[in-house]
Amino acid sequence: MRKNWLFVMGSLTGVGLTLLVTGPQSSHLIARATAAGADTYSQLNLFGEVFERVKADYVEKPDDSKLIEGAINGMVTSLDPHSRYMNDKAWREMQETTSGEFGGLGIEVTMEDGLVKVVAPIDDTPAAKAGIMSGDLITQIDGEAVQGLTLEQAVNKMKGAADTKTKLTIVRKGKDQPFDVSITREIIRVKPVRYHTEGGDIGYIRITSFNEQTTDGLHKAISDIEKQIPQEKLAGFVVDLRNNPGGLLDQAVSVSGSFLPRGEVVSTRGRNPEETQRFTARGGDLTKGKPMVVLINGGSASASEIVAGALHDHKRATLVGTRSFGKGSVQTIIPLGAGNGALALTTARYFTPSGHSIQAQGITPDIEILQDVPDDLKGRADTKGEASMRGHLSAEGKEQTGSQSYVPPDEKDDKALHAAYNILRGTTVNAGVPLAPKQTVPN
């Protein structure tokens, strides 16, 4: 059913583009306007007239394909911050990125007020090593202003062959002047899961992104930890989702299913009731019901919020940290045919198993822990969140924005992490926040 729906959407989009391109067929458009809405077709006629006028009278001969691509970008980006058109090159590069290997700097970015905003640097990448921080605004790339570029165009400029350099001009809250950062590109092989044992009784698992390798990496982490710590000594697991910007929906579902014996993980609800979809846990709880603490913060977005929300609603984990980002919308990728790229269109909202909408509200932790921020970073350790983004989808309730996203580089200074360890060891007791799994959410 889903494939058919996507196919229909792709077909409708193709028809729409044909109408936009074939401006001269004005008589047919006018004839249909009476039945299909005069205002819409009047605007299409207006577009056709402007397109022809630009082609005929612009001071230099324009490139027709660039005019059309610019028009499409303008239409799609006017919808919300996450819908976008990808030309063929950008579409291929996105496929490379989700596979977990690409050439570039290693930062997750979004567009805000015409500038590129860093959501989070990826661990152990050139950007992270160069000191790029969540919340940084990139105003120039190699001396060229970002203003006026689409997100894909800006990302493409930052990507490139390994061992080549690029210079980013950064505006950072708390800094009086913009500053330049020179970064040498590398082949980015994103290892989405890192793990270790702590004190001989706790397994620590950090998930940095949700790409095609995430679930396999998680399964290996759980298996290795259980080999290192006998079941009778294993107090539980800490799953660290802080500053994880998200990724693939199917990976979020399968990661959640690795900790749940059964039950709903997330539902997506579109404009029409019949478009509602429910995704359920299928893999079985690989941890055999061991207690869990999940760490989240202002940089935990999208797929991270799905996992945190599912484990929280099923009483499977205690959430510790600060409120998450609030990116609760679904982008469906709609290929537009050979050579035409693809459309990433916001088609639905995410809801946790209990029916809580993530959009512009985020996930609130059971236990809020604020980190001690160094003096030189004070005022720059918060992420504004989805609710602060221009054109965002409104929340179904009170919008929440702004949350701390700072994570100390040294684990000994990480208050949230130590709180998680204490909870699992029984040192800290929080009444009403169960650690053992209790399936209270109906399937």
Side-chain angles (χ1 to χ4, degrees):
M1 183 64 181
R2 184 64 170 176
K3 290 183 179 178
N4 292 337
W5 184 79
L6 289 176
F7 176 77
V8 170
M9 285 298 296
S11 300
L12 289 175
T13 304
V15 171
L17 295 178
T18 301
L19 290 175
L20 291 175
V21 174
T22 55
Q25 296 179 350
S26 57
S27 60
H28 296 292
L29 295 179
I30 294 172
R32 293 176 58 190
T34 303
D39 288 346
T40 299
Y41 289 104
S42 174
Q43 292 297 312
L44 291 175
N45 284 331
L46 174 61
F47 172 81
E49 182 177 341
V50 172
F51 178 73
E52 294 297 336
R53 181 64 67 183
V54 170
K55 282 183 61 178
D57 295 342
Y58 185 65
V59 64
E60 295 177 353
K61 182 176 174 58
D63 183 322
D64 289 0
S65 63
K66 288 185 177 179
L67 289 179
I68 295 298
E69 185 173 327
I72 295 171
N73 280 323
M75 174 175 61
V76 175
T77 57
S78 70
L79 299 172
D80 68 275
H82 307 294
S83 292
R84 64 195 188 279
Y85 167 70
M86 294 170 282
N87 60 26
D88 191 48
K89 183 173 183 290
W91 170 224
R92 291 196 306 270
E93 289 173 344
M94 180 185 178
Q95 291 172 301
E96 292 174 1
T97 301
T98 57
S99 71
E101 182 172 318
F102 55 95
L105 307 179
I107 46 176
E108 298 283 350
V109 296
T110 187
M111 188 68 81
E112 184 174 292
D113 296 333
L115 300 176
V116 174
K117 182 177 183 179
V118 177
V119 176
I122 300 171
D123 289 352
D124 298 327
T125 62
K129 295 171 186 174
I132 300 298
M133 296 177 58
S134 177
D136 282 350
L137 294 175
I138 301 172
T139 60
Q140 295 184 34
I141 303 170
D142 292 326
E144 181 180 343
V146 168
Q147 198 91 33
L149 298 178
T150 66
L151 182 60
E152 271 65 43
Q153 288 170 333
V155 168
N156 289 341
K157 287 184 176 296
M158 288 186 281
K159 288 183 177 181
D163 298 324
T164 60
K165 288 188 176 183
T166 187
K167 183 177 70 175
L168 306 181
T169 301
I170 303 292
V171 171
R172 181 176 290 169
K173 187 177 180 181
K175 292 279 188 181
D176 294 334
Q177 298 293 330
F179 58 94
D180 293 335
V181 179
S182 182
I183 308 177
T184 301
R185 298 180 179 93
E186 295 178 4
I187 296 298
I188 307 299
R189 295 181 178 89
V190 180
K191 296 179 180 178
V193 179
R194 292 178 174 80
Y195 59 95
H196 64 261
T197 60
E198 174 64 30
D201 62 344
I202 291 175
Y204 170 86
I205 301 173
R206 172 160 168 71
I207 302 176
T208 60
S209 64
F210 289 84
N211 63 32
E212 293 172 3
Q213 304 170 23
T214 301
T215 300
D216 289 343
L218 173 64
H219 291 181
K220 184 179 187 304
I222 294 172
S223 176
D224 286 357
I225 289 170
E226 291 183 338
K227 288 176 183 176
Q228 296 175 47
I229 306 176
Q231 279 292 310
E232 64 273 12
K233 291 185 178 180
L234 183 57
F237 292 85
V238 174
V239 177
D240 192 344
L241 298 176
R242 292 175 296 180
N243 292 333
N244 180 328
L248 301 174
L249 172 59
D250 65 338
Q251 292 291 310
V253 173
S254 58
V255 164
S256 300
S258 300
F259 300 111
L260 294 171
R262 59 189 176 87
E264 182 176 305
V265 172
V266 67
S267 63
T268 63
R269 305 178 195 175
R271 186 167 62 186
N272 301 312
E274 61 269 20
E275 294 171 1
T276 297
Q277 286 192 298
R278 299 185 184 279
F279 300 85
T280 58
R282 300 184 184 279
D285 184 359
L286 300 182
T287 68
K288 305 176 183 67
K290 287 292 184 180
M292 290 178 59
V293 174
V294 174
L295 300 178
I296 58 173
N297 69 3
S300 304
S302 193
S304 301
E305 296 174 287
I306 290 173
V307 174
L311 297 179
H312 177 267
D313 284 4
H314 282 282
K315 310 298 183 186
R316 182 64 187 88
T318 301
L319 304 187
V320 173
T322 58
R323 188 178 57 252
S324 64
F325 187 84
K327 197 274 184 183
S329 59
V330 185
Q331 282 68 53
T332 299
I333 305 299
I334 306 169
L336 300 175
N340 293 325
L343 183 66
L345 188 67
T346 298
T347 55
R349 298 170 189 258
Y350 290 126
F351 290 81
T352 70
S354 66
H356 169 72
S357 173
I358 297 170
Q359 177 61 23
Q361 294 179 312
I363 302 293
T364 301
D366 297 303
I367 303 172
E368 183 180 53
I369 301 289
L370 294 174
Q371 304 283 0
D372 293 328
V373 180
D375 290 339
D376 62 329
L377 296 179
K378 286 182 177 176
R380 292 178 274 146
D382 288 0
T383 297
K384 290 184 178 179
E386 175 80 8
S388 68
M389 299 184 73
R390 181 177 296 175
H392 69 273
L393 295 180
S394 60
E396 296 194 353
K398 184 179 179 181
E399 294 190 349
Q400 303 284 348
T401 185
S403 177
Q404 190 183 77
S405 58
Y406 174 73
V407 178
D410 193 327
E411 282 194 2
K412 68 179 179 60
D413 301 320
D414 192 337
K415 294 172 66 175
L417 180 59
H418 285 290
Y421 291 156
N422 289 337
I423 290 169
L424 291 175
R425 289 174 177 141
T427 306
T428 301
V429 177
N430 185 272
V433 183
L435 291 173
K438 295 181 181 178
Q439 300 300 322
T440 60
V441 180
N443 296 329

